[in-house]
Amino acid sequence: MPTGRPREFDTERALELATSLFWQKGYEGTSLSDLTETLGITRPSLYAAFGNKEALFRLVLQRYEAKAGAYRTKALKAPTALEVARQLLEGAAELHGDKANPVGCLGVHGALACSDEAAMIRRDMSAHRIAGEAAIRRRLTRAKAEGDLPPNASPSDLARYLSVVIYGMAVQSVGGASHAELRRVAAIALSQWPKSAR
């Protein structure tokens, strides 16, 4: 016979609900009461399963990156710099233009935290964005070394440009920008991409 009390909720389902809630309201905008009500569990159950709110948010962020952010990982493996840029921009348009998702970006919402209590999360989110931009820069540096970008192209500037447009799309989606509108933003950004030296 199995021993011990069964957990009173489905952990995977709880993480899914928490992800949606943090995505909608951000770290600081999500209260413990919001979490317990949405997840349908008591505070002691939440603490037993996930630790505190900060620990739960970190789990949620990992889940978000593995699923919603998967297009970025895939894009960095594309064979050319132009295709990297295309997949990043079109992937962002797909993610933020999908009405089945909460609007905006979990990373952006998570970073919009002002109190001292949320300072560590804000720093983590900033470090996360910097690391994401650095990964793009490394891929574009390789592309330049391979002759896939012109000699005057700056991988750092291009990585920052892509990051700004991608996060800008997330902000635009909060304001109601449609999937079609975000795809047009991606197309304009791609039209400015430097031509290959090949």
Side-chain angles (χ1 to χ4, degrees):
M1 276 182 72
T3 58
R5 285 179 51 192
R7 199 165 257 163
E8 64 184 74
F9 64 98
D10 178 340
T11 303
E12 275 303 304
R13 175 67 178 150
L15 277 171
E16 186 179 308
L17 292 169
T19 299
S20 182
L21 187 61
F22 279 124
W23 194 343
Q24 290 173 49
K25 301 182 82 170
Y27 176 77
E28 196 161 40
T30 301
S31 68
L32 280 171
S33 295
D34 291 332
L35 287 165
T36 54
E37 182 179 330
T38 300
L39 275 56
I41 60 175
T42 63
R43 286 193 187 198
S45 293
L46 187 145
Y47 293 139
F50 304 113
N52 59 15
K53 175 183 163 184
E54 183 178 319
L56 175 56
F57 182 78
R58 291 181 197 286
L59 285 172
V60 158
L61 186 61
Q62 289 173 3
R63 181 187 182 92
Y64 176 83
E65 280 303 309
K67 293 190 173 184
Y71 77 90
R72 291 194 295 268
T73 303
K74 182 182 172 205
L76 293 177
K77 296 175 183 172
T80 66
L82 177 60
E83 192 57 27
V84 169
R86 184 185 314 284
Q87 288 188 29
L88 285 170
L89 293 166
E90 291 180 355
E94 292 298 321
L95 175 66
H96 301 304
D98 185 346
K99 297 306 179 191
N101 293 328
V103 295
C105 168
L106 179 63
V108 172
H109 284 315
L112 299 177
C114 313
S115 72
D116 290 342
E117 176 195 347
M120 183 64 76
I121 292 294
R122 187 171 59 246
R123 283 194 297 271
D124 287 354
M125 292 293 93
S126 179
H128 180 76
R129 286 193 308 278
I130 289 167
E133 187 175 309
I136 298 170
R137 183 175 63 249
R138 285 192 299 274
R139 176 63 185 87
L140 297 180
T141 298
R142 191 184 98 203
K144 184 173 179 179
E146 293 169 348
D148 190 32
L149 284 171
N152 64 342
S154 166
S156 292
D157 290 347
L158 289 171
R160 188 169 299 110
Y161 171 70
L162 288 171
S163 294
V164 167
V165 176
I166 288 165
Y167 284 115
M169 281 196 236
V171 173
Q172 287 286 306
S173 76
V174 174
S178 70
H179 178 233
E181 288 167 336
L182 295 180
R183 284 189 65 85
R184 288 198 293 274
V185 168
I188 292 168
L190 283 168
S191 74
Q192 302 305 307
W193 194 254
K195 301 299 182 235
S196 169
R198 291 175 184 165

